[in-house]
Amino acid sequence: MTRITIALVALLIALGGSWVWGHHVGAAGVQERWDVAKSAQAKVVGQAEAHNAAQSTAWINQFSTINAKYEADSHAQAPAIAETVAAGVADGTLRLRDGANVCPGDVSAATARSRAADAVATQALSDRVATAVEIVRIGDAADARERELDAQVIGLQGILQAERSH
């Protein structure tokens, strides 16, 4: 009976040792797979962050260029075309294609200058509106890209949460 008891104790010790060794090897394998997956995800996140930073810098540069052009256009002095045309006709450097149409009652020079200034101001306003529309389009495109990037980040966060829950 002592030999059987000793054999059973030895068998139990061997089984316990095998179980401890197997548990340790299995846990190490899981940790190794987790570390590999975590490293791959960190690499993907790093690449996405670098791409986002480059894209943001490009958008900032584009916006700065557009803003500088808009500021220059909106603060530009409107040319006084009425005076230059009248002066050119008067000194002979500018010739009209058709003869001058004089209205009955002879429109005053002030009215002609006023109409020319209004035309220039209207054109400047039209240019500013076109520039503003372009800025809004670029901003809308930037917002759309930002929504895409948000969706990507949320997706990556979901992957990380799924991996961590296992």
Side-chain angles (χ1 to χ4, degrees):
M1 176 131 168
T2 14
R3 285 185 182 192
I4 294 177
T5 306
I6 293 174
L8 283 175
V9 169
L11 181 63
L12 286 174
I13 290 174
L15 286 174
S18 296
W19 181 82
V20 168
W21 180 78
H23 178 72
H24 175 71
V25 169
V30 168
Q31 183 63 43
E32 182 180 337
R33 287 192 309 272
W34 172 259
D35 291 341
V36 168
K38 188 175 176 183
S39 173
Q41 290 171 355
K43 181 179 176 184
V44 169
V45 168
Q47 290 172 344
E49 287 175 346
H51 175 73
N52 291 346
Q55 188 67 41
S56 294
T57 301
W59 286 340
I60 288 169
N61 291 339
Q62 285 176 347
F63 181 76
S64 295
T65 302
I66 291 168
N67 184 44
K69 183 177 181 336
Y70 173 75
E71 288 295 325
D73 288 348
S74 65
H75 292 63
Q77 181 67 27
I81 293 180
E83 288 98 19
T84 58
V85 170
V89 170
D91 68 7
T93 57
L94 182 65
R95 194 168 30 130
L96 299 176
R97 188 179 299 170
D98 296 328
N101 294 331
V102 178
C103 295
D106 200 17
V107 177
S108 68
T111 303
R113 282 194 305 273
S114 174
R115 287 181 182 160
D118 287 346
V120 169
T122 301
Q123 182 60 46
L125 177 63
S126 175
D127 292 344
R128 285 194 296 271
V129 168
T131 302
V133 167
E134 184 60 31
I135 288 170
V136 168
R137 284 186 183 143
I138 290 172
D140 194 31
D143 288 344
R145 180 62 181 147
E146 190 66 27
R147 286 190 294 274
E148 289 177 12
L149 294 174
D150 284 347
Q152 289 176 359
V153 168
I154 290 169
L156 289 172
Q157 288 172 341
I159 291 171
L160 285 174
Q161 286 176 348
E163 286 291 324
R164 288 180 182 163
S165 66
H166 286 298

